């Protein structure tokens, strides 16, 4: 069994959706994660706040978020246990994040030192 | 007190009791839905046309029609109720709303509510709600905004579902996983719950197969039977075996 990080890339929800829509997404996300946890395959996860986001560059140049393109914006991640990359991908496919066009979930195996 | 509220207090318990005597106590939710529906129809119709000369007869007539429609229409009739009704009763589907049967039904309801297997707090709640028509304001409001009642019920199911979604993230246990899947069925429907249940693979757990059997009941009774049979083969206590046998018998 390996651990995989599922990385969500999407826009700042607060900018593109109503509070009701956000709440609906949150519920869907909880149901999705609950389904993984019910299989004893959930390890951990966090949402990341878009407000006050900063990016620190080479030479300590600091810029503000939010960011220009969706591919640059991280909304959160979860870590799951899976037998194979394919199983981790199957988990990722259920993510409500993917309802948004242009959004993605990146699947990366965690290297345990 | 408004006439319809008064009627609710006196007639609701009778209607529920008669429906439960007819459908079986396990169908109490359906009985409540049909009864609420009838009072909703009364509130709408009487609000427009005025109160009929004999409101009780009106209510009984409507409840009878709704009960017949329900029996004709609903799958539960095929799957659960039909086997418990005698041939004669199937051929004469009219509800027996005679004073004698109403009294008998209410007595039966009293005994059902006071059954020792129901916790005392729940007994009191059920008695106040069903036998006494208690909380008349809320209930009167509820049947005027029937949708809200359904929403509240759903909201409760969703709250329980969350409780479990969060609990499982903190501490996994097979029992919590099974309860979570059951709550999912209540909140989001059986089909969704089946898809998730089949991923759990708790293949040495009798309650896992009992849950699968429950979820498939009414959707695919053959599969339900297979799962209940597996549960039976895993069950250890006589009591568990009896419970599962009973579920198989009802398919």
């Amino acid at each position: 069994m390996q651990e995989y990080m599922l990385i969500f890339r999407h826009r700042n929800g607060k900018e593109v959706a109503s509070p009701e829509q956000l709440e609906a997404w949150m519920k869907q996300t909880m149901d999705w994660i609950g389904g993984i946890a019910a299989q004893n395959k959930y390890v951990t996860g966090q949402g990341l706040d878009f407000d006050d986001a900063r990016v620190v560059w080479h030479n300590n140049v600091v810029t503000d978020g939010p960011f220009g393109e969706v591919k640059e914006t991280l909304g959160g991640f979860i870590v799951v246990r899976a037998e194979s990359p394919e199983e981790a991908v199957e988990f990722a496919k259920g993510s409500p994040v993917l309802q948004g066009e242009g959004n993605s979930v990146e699947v990366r195996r965690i290297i345990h030192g | 007190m408004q006439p319809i509220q008064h009627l609710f207090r006196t007639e609701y318990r009778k209607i529920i009791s008669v429906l439960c005597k007819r459908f079986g106590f396990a169908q109490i939710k359906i009985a409540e839905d049909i009864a609420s529906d009838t009072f909703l129809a009364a509130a709408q119709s009487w609000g427009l046309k005025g109160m009929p000369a004999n409101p009780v007869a009106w209510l009984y007539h409507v409840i009878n029609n709704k009960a017949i429609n329900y029996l004709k229409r609903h799958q539960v009739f095929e799957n659960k109720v039909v086997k418990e009704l005698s041939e004669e009763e199937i051929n004469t589907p009219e509800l027996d709303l005679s004073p004698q049967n109403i009294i008998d039904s209410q007595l039966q309801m009293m005994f059902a509510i006071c059954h020792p297997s129901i916790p005392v707090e729940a007994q009191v709640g059920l008695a106040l709600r069903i036998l006494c028509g208690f909380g008349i304001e809320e209930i009167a409001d509820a049947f005027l905004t029937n949708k809200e009642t359904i929403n509240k019920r759903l909201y409760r199911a969703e709250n329980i579902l969350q409780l479990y979604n969060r609990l499982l993230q903190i501490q996994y246990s097979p029992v919590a996983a099974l309860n979570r899947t059951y709550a999912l069925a209540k909140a989001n429907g059986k089909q969704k719950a089946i898809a998730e249940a089949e991923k759990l693979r708790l293949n040495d757990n009798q309650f896992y197969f009992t849950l699968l059997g429950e979820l498939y009941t009414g959707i695919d009774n053959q599969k339900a039977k297979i799962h209940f049979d597996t549960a039976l083969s895993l069950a250890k206590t006589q009591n568990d075996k009896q419970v599962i046998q009973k579920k198989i018998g009802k398919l």
Side-chain angles (χ1 to χ4, degrees):
Chain A
M1 196 84 81
Q2 300 277 357
E3 289 187 353
Y4 292 84
M5 184 176 277
L6 276 44
I7 302 158
F8 314 138
R9 297 187 195 282
H10 56 85
R11 281 180 203 290
N12 184 354
K14 286 184 224 162
E15 284 178 6
V16 296
S18 64
E20 292 76 26
Q21 180 68 58
L22 286 179
E23 203 184 308
W25 281 339
M26 182 47 72
K27 205 193 88 55
Q28 286 175 2
T29 303
M30 289 305 291
D31 285 353
W32 171 60
I33 292 174
I36 297 169
Q39 299 171 56
N40 201 12
K41 300 266 176 86
Y42 175 84
V43 180
T44 187
Q46 295 294 335
L48 302 175
D49 201 339
F50 282 86
D51 295 341
D52 299 322
R54 301 279 188 276
V55 183
V56 183
W57 302 87
H58 179 64
N59 286 339
N60 288 353
V61 173
V62 179
T63 61
D64 284 355
F67 318 88
E69 291 182 63
V70 177
K71 68 179 181 190
E72 295 171 358
T73 58
L74 264 178
F77 67 90
I78 66 169
V79 175
V80 301
R81 273 186 287 272
E83 300 285 356
S84 63
E86 288 73 26
E87 190 187 6
V89 164
E90 283 309 308
F91 286 142
K93 283 179 183 171
S95 170
V97 161
L98 297 175
Q99 290 168 22
E101 212 176 323
N103 293 353
S104 65
V105 179
E106 185 173 326
V107 180
R108 300 288 290 272
R109 189 170 70 85
I110 292 179
I111 302 166
H112 287 284
Chain B
M1 191 185 282
Q2 296 291 315
I4 191 164
Q5 289 176 319
H6 178 70
L7 275 172
F8 190 90
R9 179 171 280 178
T10 56
E11 299 304 322
Y12 184 77
R13 58 176 174 237
K14 296 180 190 169
I15 290 170
I16 292 281
S17 300
V18 170
L19 286 172
C20 277
K21 184 165 181 251
R22 180 60 191 274
F23 292 171
F25 196 74
Q27 310 296 330
I28 189 164
K29 276 223 158 85
I30 291 157
E32 281 190 283
D33 284 345
I34 293 176
S36 302
D37 232 34
T38 302
F39 278 95
L40 178 68
Q44 285 170 339
S45 168
W46 301 354
L48 289 171
K49 298 179 202 159
M51 198 117 167
N54 187 343
V56 173
W58 191 102
L59 284 175
Y60 287 3
H61 179 70
V62 172
I63 198 84
N64 191 36
N65 285 343
K66 282 188 187 296
I68 291 170
N69 282 342
Y70 173 80
L71 285 173
K72 278 187 190 153
R73 187 178 66 225
H74 219 273
Q75 246 190 334
V76 174
F77 181 57
E78 305 295 333
N79 295 333
K80 292 186 176 166
V81 183
V82 79
K83 288 178 190 128
E84 290 172 22
L85 298 176
S86 69
E87 276 298 313
E88 187 197 10
E89 277 174 310
I90 293 167
N91 294 332
T92 54
E94 301 287 311
L95 269 192
D96 181 359
L97 286 156
S98 65
Q100 186 56 47
N101 192 50
I102 288 176
I103 290 170
D104 288 351
S105 304
Q106 283 190 269
L107 194 62
Q108 198 178 339
M109 179 62 86
M110 259 177 72
F111 281 119
I113 286 174
C114 296
H115 193 274
S117 69
I118 302 172
V120 176
E121 297 87 344
Q123 286 183 12
V124 174
L126 280 169
L128 287 174
R129 188 158 55 94
I130 290 166
L131 293 177
C132 308
F134 197 78
I136 194 76
E137 288 297 329
E138 296 99 270
I139 299 166
D141 282 345
F143 68 70
L144 289 169
T145 54
N146 197 251
K147 247 188 183 161
E148 230 160 75
T149 316
I150 294 162
N151 282 342
K152 269 185 196 160
R153 203 170 286 169
L154 204 63
Y155 183 70
R156 270 200 300 275
E158 277 175 1
N159 270 347
I160 296 168
L161 176 60
Q162 292 318 316
L163 166 64
Y164 279 111
N165 282 338
R166 286 170 208 278
L167 177 69
L168 281 159
Q169 286 170 45
I170 300 162
Q171 180 66 55
Y172 169 83
S173 78
V175 174
L178 294 173
N179 278 320
R180 184 253 172 201
T181 310
Y182 187 72
L184 186 74
K186 293 277 173 207
N188 296 354
K190 277 187 168 187
Q191 295 284 9
K192 263 219 165 117
I194 286 172
E196 301 239 331
E198 291 189 332
K199 293 180 195 159
L200 298 182
R201 296 180 207 284
L202 297 166
N203 291 336
D204 54 356
N205 187 319
Q206 56 159 311
F207 301 110
Y208 176 53
F209 290 101
T210 308
L211 175 70
L212 279 170
E214 291 275 1
L215 293 176
Y216 271 115
T217 299
I219 288 178
D220 185 337
N221 280 358
Q222 253 179 327
K223 277 195 178 165
K225 168 101 170 50
I226 294 169
H227 288 303
F228 281 138
D229 283 344
T230 311
L232 198 59
S233 71
L234 291 167
K236 289 176 189 80
T237 70
Q238 204 49 43
N239 194 32
D240 285 350
K241 284 179 190 168
Q242 275 173 2
V243 169
I244 298 164
Q245 288 280 19
K246 227 174 174 181
K247 289 179 196 296
I248 293 172
K250 281 186 181 168
L251 283 174

